[in-house]
Amino acid sequence: MTTTEWITDIALLLVVFRQLREDRLDLKTFLIPLGIVAFVAHSYLHSVPTGGNDLVLIGTLVGVGAALGIAGGVYTRVRHAGEHVLIKAGAVSAILWVLGMGARMGFQLWTGHGGADDVARFSLAHDITSTQAWVAAFVLMALTEVVTRLATIFVRGRMLTTGPATAATHRVGARP
């Protein structure tokens, strides 16, 4: 792994740890992780191979990323405090994030330190046509995890401030 890969992988892992303490849901909540995955996508996603079973591999990992992202967003506490929406990643959200991002990092380490032959045999047996298919699959998995987690948190924050829950929240404790 290159220094840039280490830095981006660690930065993605640190994103959720930053949210372990409660903070306002604002533009930086979205821009920092989206900026990191945009950089990764720009740096490593040069093409999306479509031969053989490449799309099956890519679709599978994108599906895993979506599931992890949605679950991570669901297990992030979102609450209304005054004029602000606050978020705090819970333990489950942090574990899911580390699992998703850590799996990608672990795969990179494994293939760089003896696992490449096993991946090549697996790829040959399952008609995965190139290493670019693996790169695309893992980059799109990370991108999907980030986007679906943020989208889930965004929707939950919007529902909290504009939906029926707001009216119910304002009624709690009010005297008739």
Side-chain angles (χ1 to χ4, degrees), residues 118-161:
D118 292 326
V119 173
R121 281 190 292 279
F122 180 89
S123 296
L124 187 60
H126 294 88
D127 199 23
I128 297 167
T129 63
S130 68
T131 58
Q132 184 58 32
W134 288 98
V135 170
F138 277 106
V139 168
L140 290 171
M141 175 187 163
L143 180 68
T144 304
E145 183 176 357
V146 169
V147 170
T148 56
R149 181 177 183 276
L150 292 174
T152 302
I153 291 168
F154 176 79
V155 167
R156 291 182 63 217
R158 292 294 293 181
M159 287 172 44
L160 190 64
T161 59

Side-chain angles (χ1 to χ4, degrees), residues 15-31 33-34 66 68-80 84-90 92-94 96-97 144-162:
V15 165
V16 80
F17 290 116
R18 188 179 139 265
Q19 292 177 359
L20 286 174
R21 67 178 177 79
E22 192 170 56
D23 200 9
R24 281 181 29 187
L25 180 62
D26 57 14
L27 195 56
K28 76 177 187 293
T29 305
F30 300 99
L31 290 182
L34 288 174
L68 288 170
I70 292 168
V74 167
Y75 284 102
T76 297
R77 186 175 76 184
V78 179
R79 72 180 184 93
H80 198 263
H84 304 290
V85 174
L86 303 176
I87 63 167
K88 180 180 180 183
V92 173
S93 181
L96 292 171
W97 185 262
T144 304
E145 183 176 357
V146 169
V147 170
T148 56
R149 181 177 183 276
L150 292 174
T152 302
I153 291 168
F154 176 79
V155 167
R156 291 182 63 217
R158 292 294 293 181
M159 287 172 44
L160 190 64
T161 59
T162 61

Side-chain angles (χ1 to χ4, degrees), residues 89-105:
V92 173
S93 181
I95 289 168
L96 292 171
W97 185 262
V98 170
L99 277 173
M101 297 302 156
R104 190 176 68 80
M105 191 173 173

